[in-house]
Amino acid sequence: MERLFETHQIRRSRECAPLWTLTTLDEGGLPRPEKVVVPGVWESHPLLRRYRGRGVYEQTLRLGGHVRIALGGVSFRARVFLDGALLASHYGAYTGFEAIALNQPEGEHTLRIEADNRFDADSALHIPNDYYAYGGINRPVIVEEVGDVYLVRCQVSTRQTAAGWTAQAEVTVRNLSSRLFRGALRLQIAGREAEAEITVPGQGLSVCPLTLPCGEVDPWSPGHPALYPVTATLLENGAPVDDLIDRVGFREIRAEGKRLLLNGRPLRLLGFNRHEEYGSFGLSAPLEAMVQDVQLLRSLGANCVRTAHYPNDPRFLDLCDEAGLLVWEESHVRGFSEAQMRHPRFMEQLLQCTREMVEQHFNHPSIFVWGSLNECADDTAWGADCYRKIFALLRRMDPGRPVTAALLERPGGQVYDAPDLISINLYPQWYHDTPVREALDRKLREIARGGGAGKPVLVSEIGAGAIYGCHDPFGEAKWSEERQCAILKDQIASVLAHPDVCGLFLWQFADVRVAEEWAPSRPRTFNNKGVLDEYRRPKMAFRVVRELFRAAAREGGAG
Ligand code: ADA
């Protein structure tokens, strides 16, 4: 399932069977085609641990009529074919896309999906990085039969007024036929209902706004994550022809002075950066592992998680909605220099991936901030302009959420005036010996001078490494679990004691595999700063952080 609840009662929708035939096309691949599981990454196959190339997935399935194939994520580029005909191409591993085939005869058809995780000159965002660029179909593939007109998406924002809560929806409808469609749209939330007439031009799209006063509903918060189903139904001549079911939580989030407010109450953020990766399953963690990660985050006393450095599987976001874990979601780009940001396709590809993230994850109440451009060249005019363009897009698409970017510790930033929430990545005591408070104060002074005075500030990354099972009785050696504990203790205590910081995200939740190009500074070819290893075995730091986070939450941190 692509989500954790039924998304249609009218539309015929099903997930493809799990076994697909995988053929590899490049050197270092499989000697012959093999059956593999989808969703999955090919690196989980013992022969493909380091395969970087193209893979062709095939499956035969029965279908007919207008077919919509929804792909949750293919790494890194994809092409989708039905019976040999190209239906769609897509760039970016971490957002979904659709492929449409019209008027298919009822019967057996061959679906072929090509995935390609090579780094190439045409790809601006996908480079050897401090995490692994897996290959394959990493999220579910859904096959649907739709009519001439179908619902593309339904985005809902919630607002508190004197008369109670209001839901504002924008429903997008697509017409596959060439004739004008006239019909109606019905929206149901929290026992309330609204209906509006709609027309959709032939082979076109219409966006229909609908407002629904919902009165006294249970608001969503970390302590009380109340969720409500939203049903959008498309009607033709009064009869339902298509539907979309999603969930919303009623909440408002905004920056006010140096604080972030959720439904008017200040947030104190205690969280983790988490890569979407699990042991030998890589980027395509099974649902059980996602559930366990949410349980581990909760038991650590965290109230938030950052999806470093790309949009996550909607099922993980569903789990966060249910658990009341606040989410910082960001679009995919990490650590780019100005030269990399000057790649001719950089802006176009980043805008596309950012737009898809917001469109697809808009309704998750747990997402409290949108981010992008982690540690890029905010210290040059060119880089700063890229930040401003992305912030502008995020604000235009979603005026209801603050925007941010995790900025580097080094001085010279030129965008402190631009985000609603200023976020900084600091590694004192790990990459350099400056006392934590001194490093933090230095950066805060620079932010204030650079146009960020009076805004909320968050430490988006801070942390230290340890190799699971590596011990030093003296507690001094870097990479020992003891030294990681000592550094994290100091970092957490110093950040939380600072009156001008509204919280922190530790780097990081669990160890992650990195690109081989990073091996010289990354023992095991892993980023080892997790408080758990990649199989979720806790390091000594797990208990240390749990005690500190729980104590901070008791003092009013958990929201
Ligand atoms: C950066 C970056 C992370 C990771 C971290 C580290 O801040 O955002 O992706 O590379 O540093 O471990 O050094």
Side-chain angles (χ1 to χ4, degrees):
M1 262 173 99
E2 60 181 329
R3 302 293 298 274
L4 298 183
F5 49 89
E6 293 289 342
T7 47
H8 304 281
Q9 283 190 343
I10 297 170
R11 188 186 300 180
R12 288 174 61 193
S13 174
R14 65 182 198 268
E15 184 168 356
C16 286
L19 285 183
W20 293 61
T21 305
L22 171 65
T23 310
T24 54
L25 301 184
D26 294 293
E27 215 185 300
L30 293 169
R32 66 191 67 83
E34 272 198 49
K35 295 269 187 198
V36 296
V37 170
V38 168
V41 294
W42 55 57
E43 288 81 357
S44 56
H45 190 297
L47 295 181
L48 300 176
R49 285 284 297 158
R50 292 192 295 133
Y51 179 65
R52 219 175 255 170
R54 287 164 298 167
V56 180
Y57 292 79
E58 269 192 359
Q59 179 168 124
T60 305
L61 60 172
R62 289 196 71 82
L63 47 83
H66 296 338
V67 180
R68 176 177 180 270
I69 302 156
L71 300 106
V74 180
S75 185
F76 201 90
R77 295 166 180 284
R79 293 200 304 163
V80 182
F81 300 82
L82 192 67
D83 302 324
L86 177 66
L87 299 182
S89 325
H90 185 255
Y91 177 77
Y94 312 104
T95 41
F97 62 102
E98 64 175 20
I100 305 265
L102 299 178
N103 298 315
Q104 295 301 305
E106 216 39 75
E108 289 217 323
H109 296 265
T110 304
L111 180 57
R112 189 170 98 223
I113 300 170
E114 287 181 10
D116 182 350
N117 73 338
R118 288 173 303 179
F119 300 118
D120 68 33
D122 209 30
S123 172
L125 307 179
H126 179 52
I127 57 164
N129 220 324
D130 200 8
Y131 50 90
Y132 201 80
Y134 290 97
I137 306 177
N138 57 73
R139 291 184 190 157
V141 181
I142 309 292
V143 175
E144 303 185 332
E145 284 165 36
V146 292
D148 279 350
V149 185
Y150 72 96
L151 296 163
V152 177
R153 76 183 75 90
C154 167
Q155 293 186 338
V156 182
S157 353
T158 58
R159 213 159 42 84
Q160 200 168 18
T161 65
W165 286 90
T166 298
Q168 276 169 321
E170 270 192 4
V171 187
T172 307
V173 187
R174 170 166 293 142
N175 187 351
L176 297 172
S177 78
S178 48
R179 66 177 175 94
L180 176 78
F181 172 82
R182 279 180 206 286
L185 257 181
R186 181 184 299 150
L187 185 73
Q188 292 160 305
I189 307 178
R192 309 287 179 113
E193 190 171 303
E195 214 170 286
E197 301 284 302
I198 181 167
T199 55
V200 191
Q203 278 158 8
L205 278 180
S206 281
V207 180
C208 176
L210 281 156
T211 300
L212 203 55
C214 295
E216 295 307 316
V217 289
D218 251 1
W220 185 98
S221 68
H224 185 71
L227 295 169
Y228 290 87
V230 182
T231 307
T233 311
L234 184 66
L235 305 146
E236 189 172 14
N237 302 322
V241 290
D242 193 28
D243 66 342
L244 272 187
I245 304 167
D246 201 348
R247 299 190 303 198
V248 287
F250 289 82
R251 55 117 191 80
E252 268 185 347
I253 168 100
R254 65 173 200 281
E256 194 181 273
K258 290 188 173 179
R259 298 184 310 177
L260 268 186
L261 303 181
L262 180 88
N263 296 338
R265 293 184 53 195
L267 284 175
R268 183 149 177 75
L269 297 160
L270 303 166
F272 280 91
N273 288 278
R274 172 184 175 272
H275 269 288
E276 189 154 60
E277 185 185 285
Y278 187 92
S280 50
F281 299 118
L283 169 65
S284 213
L287 178 62
E288 290 83 343
M290 295 184 205
V291 171
Q292 192 190 45
D293 277 4
V294 169
Q295 291 162 345
L296 285 164
L297 285 161
R298 298 289 293 170
S299 85
L300 276 157
N303 62 2
C304 54
V305 58
R306 173 172 170 228
T307 68
H309 295 300
Y310 37 77
N312 275 197
D313 190 310
R315 292 171 299 169
F316 180 73
L317 301 174
D318 282 342
L319 291 168
C320 293
D321 292 342
E322 287 187 10
L325 260 185
L326 293 159
V327 177
W328 159 334
E329 184 154 77
E330 65 189 23
S331 55
H332 176 225
V333 49
R334 178 207 167 277
F336 273 33
S337 63
E338 176 175 331
Q340 288 167 312
M341 296 169 96
R342 280 182 180 269
H343 185 295
R345 304 208 59 189
F346 176 76
M347 232 339 142
E348 164 214 328
Q349 292 178 341
L350 182 59
L351 286 167
Q352 175 223 316
C353 294
T354 307
R355 197 177 298 118
E356 289 174 351
M357 168 180 82
V358 179
E359 276 174 3
Q360 293 167 22
H361 299 168
F362 192 93
N363 291 344
H364 289 281
S366 55
I367 298 176
F368 73 102
V369 68
W370 296 119
S372 189
L373 290 161
N374 173 80
E375 292 193 347
C376 295
D378 64 319
D379 59 338
T380 72
W382 179 279
D385 185 55
C386 296
Y387 276 88
R388 289 181 201 282
K389 285 190 176 124
I390 291 295
F391 292 150
L393 172 75
L394 290 169
R395 289 191 173 114
R396 203 165 49 245
M397 290 189 71
D398 185 2
R401 282 180 176 97
V403 302
T404 195
L407 303 175
L408 273 161
E409 185 171 356
R410 59 118 174 75
Q414 297 183 18
V415 292
Y416 301 128
D417 60 318
D420 304 299
L421 167 67
I422 299 177
S423 303
I424 45 176
N425 294 350
L426 303 172
Y427 285 89
Q429 301 297 309
W430 180 252
Y431 288 130
H432 57 89
D433 294 333
T434 324
V436 179
R437 177 70 187 226
E438 196 181 313
L440 189 51
D441 279 333
R442 189 163 61 205
K443 190 69 191 176
L444 290 172
R445 280 195 299 275
E446 194 210 331
I447 290 170
R449 279 197 309 271
K455 292 191 178 207
V457 178
L458 180 71
V459 172
S460 34
E461 288 182 27
I462 194 160
I467 295 170
Y468 177 83
C470 168
H471 292 286
D472 170 22
F474 299 105
E476 282 166 12
K478 280 201 169 170
W479 303 114
S480 72
E481 293 198 27
E482 290 81 359
R483 182 71 182 272
Q484 184 190 33
C485 288
I487 298 175
L488 288 181
K489 240 185 202 166
D490 179 18
Q491 292 173 333
I492 295 171
S494 307
V495 173
L496 292 183
H498 204 293
D500 291 334
V501 175
C502 62
L504 90 179
F505 285 81
L506 285 185
W507 188 272
Q508 60 181 339
F509 175 64
D511 295 346
V512 289
R513 184 177 173 191
V514 303
E516 217 163 83
E517 291 80 345
W518 280 70
S521 62
R522 297 285 182 255
R524 310 192 300 132
T525 328
F526 270 73
N527 185 313
N528 295 296
K529 297 190 189 73
V531 299
L532 299 141
D533 78 351
E534 64 275 21
Y535 292 103
R536 291 358 180 208
R537 293 180 300 181
K539 302 180 192 171
M540 287 168 66
F542 184 93
R543 268 180 60 183
V544 168
V545 174
R546 185 170 64 183
E547 273 161 33
L548 291 169
F549 272 16
R550 286 185 174 180
R554 278 194 298 276
E555 288 159 23

